[in-house]
Amino acid sequence: PEREGMFHRGPGLNLTSGQYTAPLAGYYTFSTTLHIARREPRRKRQGCRGSRLRVLICVQSCCQHNSHLESVSRLESSGDLFTISVTGTLYLQAGQYASVFVDNTAGSPLTVQSGSDFSAVLLGV
């Protein structure tokens, strides 16, 4: 929401960069749900054997062991719309940021659809 109500959007979220910057050091729970559509017509698609879609939430753009959350899904050849979610807890220092990355091994063009979301909540310091 743009204004206060049931939820409050804090100053840490930058809608232009897509990054959430931690105002305080602590444990944060992150969640994202992405609705992704293929932009390539079915008849042009090559076999999806081994094709997968990884969605990651990474700290400081470093998707290394113990500094990211990850979900992996196989891309089925019959589908045009996929939904993939990632949820978990990460520790951020004050001033560090977290953001969402999509790793598409299928090579076909994908579009993140409206209605997708990304959130961060401070659990404690």
Side-chain angles (χ1 to χ4, degrees):
E2 293 293 327
R3 58 187 177 274
E4 285 195 47
M6 182 180 269
F7 297 98
H8 177 70
R9 178 176 288 163
L13 181 62
N14 182 322
L15 295 176
T16 303
S17 69
Q19 298 174 343
Y20 176 80
T21 302
L24 303 169
Y27 290 94
Y28 291 81
T29 184
F30 290 94
S31 179
T32 188
T33 299
L34 301 181
H35 305 290
I36 299 174
R38 288 195 196 185
R39 294 186 319 195
E40 190 173 56
R42 284 187 187 179
R43 64 183 179 281
K44 287 190 170 188
R45 291 184 195 155
Q46 297 178 2
C48 289
R49 189 177 209 166
S51 297
R52 60 184 169 79
L53 183 67
R54 284 189 335 149
V55 173
L56 304 101
I57 299 175
C58 303
V59 176
Q60 297 293 112
S61 299
C62 295
C63 299
Q64 300 172 357
H65 184 68
N66 288 336
S67 67
H68 75 279
L69 306 169
E70 176 178 352
S71 182
V72 180
S73 179
R74 276 199 47 177
L75 293 177
E76 301 296 331
S77 59
S78 61
D80 287 330
L81 183 63
F82 303 89
T83 298
I84 187 167
S85 298
V86 180
T87 300
T89 303
L90 294 169
Y91 184 85
L92 273 69
Q93 296 289 340
Q96 284 187 317
Y97 68 87
S99 50
V100 177
F101 292 89
V102 177
D103 179 19
N104 172 17
T105 66
S108 60
L110 302 174
T111 302
V112 176
Q113 301 291 300
S114 63
S116 298
D117 63 62
F118 173 58
S119 65
V121 176
L122 175 63
L123 296 176
V125 291

